[in-house]
Amino acid sequence: MYGWRGTILNVDLSSGKIDKEKLPEDMAWDYLGGRGFNIKTLYEELEPGVEPLSPENILVFGTGPLNGTPLGCGRMTVTTKSPQTGFFVEGNNGGFFAPELKFAGYDIIVIRGRADKPVYLWIKDEKVEIRDASHIWGKTTWETDRIIKEELGDPEIQLRYIGPAGENLVNISIILGNRARAGGRGGAAAVMGSKNLKAIAVRGSDGVKIAHPTEFQEALLEIWEDLDVDGSKDPFTRIWGLYGSPIVLRIQQEYGTLATNNGQEGVFEKVMDISGEEFLKNYVVKPKACFCCQSPACSHWCEVRDGPYAGTRTEGIQAGSTEALGSYCGISYLPAIIKGHALCNELGVGMFSTGTTIAWAMEAFEKGIISSKDTDGLELRFGNHEAMLQLIRKIAYREGFGDLLADGVKKASERIGKGSQDFALHV
Ligand code: SF4
């Protein structure tokens, strides 16, 4: 098969059994990969009523036929039954993991069961092993990235991991890779945590076969020319390449759709303080991209150099960060948003869901529905970035008021009641 490596990797953490199954050719044609593979697997395997955090739930990582080719970026899909919604959660995140998995010889990983102690999965071409992760349990995602690479002696290893939030079964936790590539809103990381699976590490050494290499290369050159930041005819491509998605905030502002103060308003008067322009001018160090990114790199390595959050370094600030941790919460101090983004990534909580949940709590506080007695003494007013940062930690560790918020805005508002459900933003 071209485009595929032809193997599904099945891992049962309860029994420790690992087996490799041939990827059925009709499945490859009918479901195309990633999302299609994952949903089919979930649909066929999960019994109705399966408890998301039980060993009976499964976690599926699916690649696509272009991952691992120069035309395929690094995106991959993780799918499971969500502990937050009871429906399925599907996270699509970038980086380098998906191509590396293909290089190792696999198209899909299906994780079943639950290990009896913390473990991580190590895939090195045909060799696959379940290793002890007791020494990494409790570590942040960044520490996990460093420790596993050092332990296995290869800085090029690609990883997917969870932070303390996933271990603490936080419903708004996410799975990360490359220290910034997040996916799986709806508690995919909590499912991984419930299985005692801290990380998956992969390294491969073989390529993906292409049926018509010459034609493929010609098509590739055409696409690259079209997406060249300086030469592109599409103005949005040029802007995207320069600023990344934070530029979107000003467009939303123009249309009156920039959710502000928990969506009470659609215009944020301090939008320029958190704009893509401000970010690029004062905080960006260099652009970063996923594997063979066809679009101009949308991600940036950034740094806060002065003020109370000086020394914060992180990657992957997107419009989601500046909106969810910014305008949603009435926060216009960009260093605090960058710090919040770094905390979300390191602790493994999703910044969209976290920002939305904190913004709801701020509105409930300002309306007198909750008080500082409920919030562990925090003055949860819009714009209070110190309180927002404390809450991110509390959510990840399920501490005090953070425990209520850790299940997401819908459940938190149902528990608080008193009309707060009316302004809880969720779908
Ligand atoms: S546009 Fe951004 S997310 Fe997409 S492949 Fe490129 S760097 Fe990755």
Side-chain angles (χ1 to χ4, degrees), residues 67-76 92-99 158 160 177-178 180-182 224 240 287-300 315-316 318:
N67 284 130
T69 75
L71 187 56
C73 71
R75 303 210 67 93
M76 95 173 302
N92 183 276
N93 50 3
F96 295 77
F97 185 92
Q158 296 304 321
R160 284 290 182 263
N178 300 104
R181 299 294 176 175
W224 276 350
W240 183 270
K288 300 266 311 240
C290 300
F291 174 85
C292 280
C293 171
Q294 304 300 312
S295 167
C298 72
S299 185
H300 299 91
E315 190 197 326
Q318 301 284 358

Side-chain angles (χ1 to χ4, degrees), residues 114-153:
R114 172 185 289 157
D116 56 11
K117 60 174 188 173
V119 295
Y120 74 91
L121 188 66
W122 170 219
I123 304 165
K124 173 81 169 69
D125 293 316
E126 67 282 352
K127 189 175 147 210
V128 183
E129 58 179 312
I130 298 169
R131 295 174 68 108
D132 179 43
S134 309
H135 57 304
I136 320 171
W137 202 251
K139 302 286 186 200
T140 67
T141 58
W142 283 40
E143 289 167 332
T144 302
D145 190 282
R146 178 183 56 76
I147 293 169
I148 293 181
K149 284 176 178 168
E150 281 175 9
E151 187 167 298
L152 298 173

